[in-house]
Each structure stands twice: as structure tokens, then as C-alpha cells.
Amino acid sequence: MVMMKVGFVGMRHMLTIVFLSGFAGFMEGPVIIDVTVAAVCSSPDDSCSLTVYLTGFQQVAIGLGTMVMMPVIGILSDRYGTKAVLTLPMCLSILPPVILGYRRDTHFFYMFYIIKILTSLVCEGAVDCLASAYVAENIQGRTRISAFSILAGVKTMSSLFGTFVARFLPVALIFKVSAISFLVAMVYMRIFLKERLNNDENGDHQQDDRDSNDVTMLAEPMLNNTTITTSSVLNKKQSSLKDMMILMKTSTIFVQALVVTFFSSFSDSGMQSAFLYFLKSRFGFDKNQFADLMLLITIVGSISQLFVLPRFASAIGERKLLSAGVFMEFTNMAVVSISWAPWVPYLTTLFVPGAMLVMPSVCGIASRQVGPGEQGKVQGCISGGKSFGKVVAPFVFSPLTALFLSNNAPFYFPGFSLLCISLSSMIGFLQSLMIKDVPPSQLNKEINSTSREEA
């Protein structure tokens, strides 16, 4: 119990970093659509197809980069520490908002667009990935899913405050404040963040071993009861790609979690490509209405993550939470796709808590498949799966959204792309139902057998 309290209290520095970086990033959300349209389209009131394609290409380019970089960043954090690896992404994150804070005409927008893509190859998702690995290393056993929920809740709270500030600040000031927030987060991280909250790693392993026998949770760490030698399967000197392949061979649960992650990210990325443009084209939403909707979404999400989910997560278990979350994602997108009035998207925020359940549950499931020393690899792989979904989605949904929001649509259904997005969430839901609780003895037997063969 004392160790648990030390872990949660010690997380405050990482939570502060996540909040500041998330606040800076989410400030740009409500205004970036209007900035893009004003810089690219002939009329400020025109939602031309080029903006949709530019957004889609940006998602693809960033997704391809992060799909490769996130596992690498996770591996580097295992070897060199979180602070050293986080410094570069947090420094690079400052550049894009500085450009738009200076000027937002067409030339400067395209400069921002290119630099944003290049820097996001390293920056996008780096804080979230390493924060998840940090939590998994320092919070053990039954409380880990609650810690992931609190981490996600703080990220959602940063979205709430960032969107709220963006609602009232002028556009030029929004990007300046965003750049300053990124800078403060980087300096704070270098000064206050500790690599480990508790140096007694053996105690952590033992605590995790005891708690992983609980039948409401999934499998215990993969490396338990495995002889550690110089030819150990997950020896850091071996190929990291081989490590991940061995992990996938020995843990069906991890592979299933990756599949759910892909379809959830695929759907989320599709929503990013389609949702705001759908609202702008269908109901004429502007910056203020985008901000109001995002505020409502983040308020509902933060309450569920910070106050509701941590109370029930350990008792319910990650698997049930994951299935419930993905199903609520499906329902949300299906209802939005047939929106008949501007108030319908506001009503669907009732399903927001479901979307907030998915990634904390996936991170909890994945983190229990390895010991504390390999959390960077696992969380990096999960982040890579998310990035892969972001890469694929724009190829499908950007052309589909542009087509059905144009005058050349084969039939009138502006929300058709959103309906297709909801169907992809249903695939993820069906996969989540296939994840089963594995008895620890059976898992260890399979792992030890594979370990001896590979060694």
C-alpha cells in the first residue's frame, strides 16, 4: 500500500509534463481548420476538398514516421532513460506553433505544414508513449489500470483547458501560448522528472507477481519464472525486432490487443479526417462551435477518466472495459453519421466515456505481458500499432469524405464516411470479445517452452 501511494504521488511530475504538452497541442485543434481553409481555399466560407486531402496526407506522412519511430523511442527509453529520450521531441514540438504565431498567410501556412510533418515524425505520440511506459514501470499490479486511466484523464483535462483557452484567445495568441507551453513542459521535464520512483526493482517484481494471480486481471509478466542468462530471449543486446516477434509468438493476448489498437486508431484517425469537415459542410460549424463541442467532449471524458474509471477499473478488469469502450465508440460514430440537426453531435457526447476506456485498457493489457524492464518496447509497439492505423485511415476516408461532401456524390449521404468508420470500430469490438483471461500457470508454461527453443 505504501509503495502504491509513493507511485501515485511520484507520478505528479510526469502528469504535469503530459498536461502541459497536451494543453499546447490541443489549443491548436479548434482553430487549425479555419487557418487551413483561410490559407488554402479561395473563400473563408469555402470548405474545399484540398483541405481534406492536405489533412489526410499529413496524417499518412506522420503515421508512417511514428509507426517506425515509436517502437524505437520505446526501446531507447529502456536503455538510456525517459528524460534523455524525451528531450528531442519536446524541443522540436516548439517550432510549428512559432511559425503560425508569427504569420498565417499561404506561404507561412505551407512552411508550417512541412515542418509540422517533419517534426511530428519524432514528436507525435512520443510523450504519450513514454508516459505509458513510465507508468507501467513504476505502478504495479491491480492499480496499474487505474494509473493508466488517471494518465489518460490528465491528457483529457489538458484538452479541456486547451480548448477552453482557444475559445477566447485570438488566433495569433493561441499559437504563441502553445509554443510557450511546449517550452515550459520541456524545461520542467529536465528539472523535475525522476527516471524511477522506486529503485527497489525486486520489490516491484514481487508485488506484480502477487497481484497478477488475481483472476479479474489478465496474464502475469512474461519473464516470470524464466531463467535469465546471457542468451535470454529478451536480452537487450539482441535484436529488438526479434524481441517483439518472440513476444507476439508467446502472447496471443498481446497480438489481440494490437489488433484492437489498430482498428480503434483506424477509426479515430478517420474521425479526424472527416468529423470536423462534416460538421463545417453539413451544419456550417465555425471555430467557436468546434471549441464548444470539444469542451463538452473533454469535460465528459475527463470526469469519467479521473473519477469514475479509477474506482471500478480494478474490479471490472481491462478486458470488459475494453469491449465496452469499443462498442460505445461504434455507437457514437454510427449516430453522428446520420445527424439530422446541429444538436445531435452534442448529444453523442454521452458515448465519449467509451472512447476514453479503450487505450487505458489496451495499455494495461499489454503492460502485463512483460516485466518492468521491457515496458518501453511494449508501449512503443502499441504506439506503432496506433500509428499504422493512422497511416491507413486517410487513404480510405479522406477521398470518401471529400466525395460525399461534394456535389458529385453518387447519392446524398454526407455522413457516409462516418458510417464506414463506425463499421471499422465494430470489427475492433468483435476482436476484443476474443481476448480471454489466461491462467498464469498456463501462460508461463508456454513462455518457458518458447524461451528454451529460441535460446
Side-chain angles (χ1 to χ4, degrees), residues 28 93-102 112 175-176 178-179 182:
E28 303 172 13
S93 298
I94 302 171
L95 297 178
V98 167
I99 296 173
L100 289 186
Y102 178 68
F112 157 82
F175 292 101
K176 293 175 182 177
S178 175
F182 275 126

Side-chain angles (χ1 to χ4, degrees), residues 74-86:
I75 292 166
L76 291 176
S77 72
D78 286 337
R79 297 183 179 180
Y80 303 110
T82 302
K83 292 178 68 171
V85 178
L86 259 181

Side-chain angles (χ1 to χ4, degrees), residues 207-218:
Q207 178 71 19
D208 200 30
D209 292 346
R210 289 193 297 270
D211 288 337
S212 58
N213 290 326
D214 192 310
V215 295
T216 64
M217 308 302 284
L218 293 171

Side-chain angles (χ1 to χ4, degrees), residues 79-394:
R79 297 183 179 180
Y80 303 110
T82 302
K83 292 178 68 171
V85 178
L86 259 181
T87 301
L88 178 61
M90 297 188 74
C91 287
L92 294 177
S93 298
I94 302 171
L95 297 178
V98 167
I99 296 173
L100 289 186
Y102 178 68
R103 288 184 66 178
R104 289 162 304 284
D105 58 23
T106 302
H107 297 294
F108 276 85
F109 170 78
Y110 280 111
M111 182 187 300
F112 157 82
Y113 183 81
I114 294 171
I115 293 179
K116 177 70 173 178
I117 290 176
L118 295 177
T119 57
S120 293
L121 299 181
V122 178
C123 304
E124 187 79 10
V127 174
D128 295 340
C129 171
L130 296 181
S132 296
Y134 189 83
V135 168
E137 288 182 2
N138 291 286
I139 305 296
Q140 304 297 331
R142 293 169 57 87
T143 58
R144 186 181 286 168
I145 178 63
S146 298
F148 279 124
S149 177
I150 292 172
L151 177 65
V154 169
K155 185 66 181 286
T156 306
M157 285 294 293
S158 70
S159 174
L160 170 63
F161 281 91
T163 306
F164 182 79
V165 171
R167 176 69 173 80
F168 299 102
L169 286 181
V171 174
L173 198 55
I174 286 174
F175 292 101
K176 293 175 182 177
V177 173
S178 175
I180 292 172
S181 182
F182 275 126
L183 177 62
V184 171
M186 190 269 293
V187 174
Y188 185 95
M189 181 270 297
R190 293 299 305 175
I191 296 175
F192 294 106
L193 187 67
K194 297 180 180 179
E195 290 292 349
R196 284 194 63 83
L197 303 182
N198 192 319
N199 292 325
D200 186 7
E201 297 188 14
N202 293 332
D204 288 349
H205 281 286
Q206 293 168 4
Q207 178 71 19
D208 200 30
D209 292 346
R210 289 193 297 270
D211 288 337
S212 58
N213 290 326
D214 192 310
V215 295
T216 64
M217 308 302 284
L218 293 171
E220 65 181 79
M222 282 185 62
L223 298 184
N224 286 354
N225 300 332
T226 302
T227 303
I228 306 299
T229 66
T230 55
S231 59
S232 176
V233 176
L234 291 183
N235 193 299
K236 290 183 179 180
K237 294 181 180 180
Q238 292 182 326
S239 167
S240 299
L241 177 60
K242 184 178 179 181
D243 293 347
M244 298 314 302
M245 293 303 295
I246 294 172
L247 175 59
M248 292 180 185
K249 284 182 182 180
T250 55
S251 179
T252 304
I253 290 174
F254 180 70
V255 175
Q256 292 171 329
L258 273 178
V259 173
V260 176
T261 300
F262 166 78
F263 280 106
S264 177
S265 176
F266 182 73
S267 301
D268 289 343
S269 181
M271 284 291 283
Q272 292 176 19
S273 299
F275 182 54
L276 297 183
Y277 290 108
F278 167 76
L279 294 179
K280 189 172 184 66
S281 175
R282 181 76 173 85
F283 302 114
F285 274 35
D286 58 16
K287 165 184 172 289
N288 293 336
Q289 289 169 306
F290 286 144
D292 291 339
L293 181 59
M294 291 181 182
L295 279 174
L296 183 58
I297 290 173
T298 50
I299 288 172
V300 175
S302 59
I303 290 174
S304 64
Q305 287 178 318
L306 290 174
F307 302 107
V308 179
L309 183 56
R311 292 178 178 271
F312 302 103
S314 298
I316 297 174
E318 299 107 323
R319 183 179 61 82
K320 293 179 181 178
L321 287 173
L322 179 60
S323 297
V326 179
F327 183 76
M328 292 177 72
E329 272 191 337
F330 157 76
T331 306
N332 178 32
M333 297 173 193
V335 174
V336 170
S337 70
I338 57 173
S339 296
W340 58 92
W343 54 265
V344 175
Y346 294 93
L347 179 65
T348 58
T349 56
L350 294 173
F351 301 106
V352 165
M356 305 300 180
L357 296 174
V358 176
M359 287 316 300
S361 300
V362 168
C363 290
I365 290 171
S367 69
R368 298 183 67 82
Q369 306 309 301
V370 298
E374 285 74 37
Q375 293 297 333
K377 294 184 180 72
V378 169
Q379 300 302 330
C381 193
I382 291 294
S383 296
K386 288 176 60 179
S387 299
F388 184 52
K390 291 181 180 180
V391 169
V392 177

